Amino acid sequence: MTRKAEPMNDVEELLTESLQSRAAGEVDGAALLERASSRGRAYRRRRRFLVGTGLATVTAIVVAGVSAGIARWPVGGDTFAPGAGVISALPEATGEPGARTDPTRVGADANLVHFDAPELITAARHFDWTSGDGYEQLEVGVGEQDLVYAAIGHDMAVLDSIERQNDLGVVTREQPVQGLWLRVQAPDDTYARQVIAALDLNRAQRIVLPFQLGTLPDGTRIVRASVGFIDGRYADGGVVLEREGADRMEVQAQYAPGQSGNAGRANHVVGGRQAFLYPGRDEVELLGLPNLNLSARIGKGNHQGFSIQDVDLILASVQVATDVDDISTWPQTLVR
């Protein structure tokens, strides 16, 4: 029996338009050296996930996702819904004002994002939330190639410089409230205006991951956190740690369905846990984690300054969700 798709709203129709129908527009060329390697890593992670789970051939994600009724976290809920599985929103940060109410909170805490875009996310094939020093960003992907970015912060130069997978399309900038800038990158002007209309600056959310940090080296703090989902299920995410404004480390985890731990690779021990120390001594992977690749990087990209001893201290105290596929088992904060 053929299933009739539900009517789509203006945003969803725009999100399903072909790239070939785009109007030509401004291309924002602002970039940092780190962004090239970051985009490459993100692309490779996403391709591995898509191919590994058989999602690369899906062609009707938008309609299927909307008609299936992807679940949101309960409004006002402080706890996760058991067996929530597929989601289209992060848990609400109860008591935390949205960006419109208090712009000073934007980019002040890597645990939080201060806006939402439910219409965009429920129509998306994948979406990624990032919170860093002075900015917060949502990346939304639809179909094989369309990417939309919405970022908020206090300094447009910062918003222009943060990492993205590409610099294609047009860039629209505006100031929705005093003290807050909004930057939207989309395929064309009409698309960008629809994206802006779909943003909710009145809702604050918590960035959550399937792991939680415990002990950190003295003087270390989280300067960036991100989490990504494909078809509403976890794909990858992590945190960037910084010490004294110079030393940097990335602790990240990728979804690895079917992986049972790879204990045979062990050549290192972290707090009694089996681990793999990469030959370049620039990354340590924690082994024995079902469906998850979790590692700390200290010598890739601009991540440097921390030692293997620092990594061991952090990984020895990491707590991992009991079931990566069940988001109700995830820790609710990034650090204990």
Side-chain angles (χ1 to χ4, degrees), residues 223-260:
V223 294
R224 186 178 69 197
S226 62
V227 61
F229 297 85
I230 295 177
D231 292 345
R233 296 186 182 277
Y234 179 73
D236 55 19
V239 298
V240 173
L241 304 174
E242 185 178 275
R243 180 171 56 192
E244 298 178 356
D247 302 341
R248 292 174 73 88
M249 177 194 306
E250 179 186 20
V251 183
Q252 60 85 42
Q254 302 171 35
Y255 182 51
Q259 177 175 289
S260 59

Side-chain angles (χ1 to χ4, degrees), residues 36-310:
S37 58
S38 297
R39 289 195 296 258
R41 289 197 300 271
Y43 175 79
R44 288 192 295 273
R45 290 198 299 267
R46 189 164 289 118
R47 284 297 300 171
R48 284 200 297 269
F49 181 91
L50 288 170
V51 174
T53 56
L55 295 177
T57 59
V58 177
T59 60
I61 293 301
V62 175
V63 176
V66 174
S67 62
I70 298 177
R72 290 174 58 85
W73 292 104
V75 174
D78 288 322
T79 58
F80 297 133
V86 176
I87 68 166
S88 62
L90 298 175
E92 183 177 0
T94 305
E96 180 73 17
R100 188 178 300 279
T101 301
D102 188 356
T104 65
R105 293 290 297 154
V106 173
D109 186 341
N111 290 264
L112 303 170
V113 290
H114 294 82
F115 72 108
D116 196 2
E119 286 183 316
L120 296 178
I121 290 174
T122 53
R125 185 178 186 184
H126 71 79
F127 61 95
D128 298 73
W129 286 103
T130 301
S131 180
D133 274 354
Y135 75 92
E136 298 166 5
Q137 177 174 267
L138 170 64
E139 173 193 318
V140 176
V142 177
E144 292 295 324
Q145 301 180 68
D146 278 350
L147 285 176
V148 170
Y149 296 95
I152 57 175
H154 313 293
D155 186 339
M156 185 54 70
V158 172
L159 299 185
D160 284 339
S161 68
I162 58 182
E163 64 184 54
R164 300 176 181 90
Q165 290 193 66
N166 65 45
D167 294 309
L168 301 178
V170 302
V171 173
T172 300
R173 302 172 175 88
E174 65 177 45
Q175 196 169 23
V177 295
Q178 186 67 32
L180 183 71
W181 283 101
L182 166 65
R183 181 192 192 276
V184 168
Q185 181 176 316
D188 57 49
D189 289 320
T190 302
Y191 208 139
R193 299 313 307 178
Q194 291 289 339
V195 169
I196 291 172
L199 299 181
D200 180 0
L201 300 178
N202 296 308
R203 184 173 189 267
Q205 306 177 88
R206 284 184 285 115
I207 288 187
V208 290
L209 291 166
F211 68 88
Q212 184 182 56
L213 303 181
T215 304
L216 299 180
D218 291 343
T220 299
R221 68 185 184 96
I222 296 177
V223 294
R224 186 178 69 197
S226 62
V227 61
F229 297 85
I230 295 177
D231 292 345
R233 296 186 182 277
Y234 179 73
D236 55 19
V239 298
V240 173
L241 304 174
E242 185 178 275
R243 180 171 56 192
E244 298 178 356
D247 302 341
R248 292 174 73 88
M249 177 194 306
E250 179 186 20
V251 183
Q252 60 85 42
Q254 302 171 35
Y255 182 51
Q259 177 175 289
S260 59
N262 295 328
R265 298 172 56 213
N267 64 357
H268 190 63
V269 177
V270 176
R273 293 170 162 178
Q274 295 295 301
F276 177 70
L277 173 60
Y278 281 62
R281 299 183 65 83
D282 55 5
E283 184 171 357
V284 177
E285 179 183 344
L286 200 59
L287 304 178
L289 305 178
N291 301 326
L292 198 68
N293 285 334
L294 190 155
S295 69
R297 297 167 172 164
I298 58 173
K300 299 179 183 295
N302 71 340
H303 305 123
Q304 56 188 356
F306 283 98
S307 67
I308 295 297
Q309 289 71 31
D310 293 324

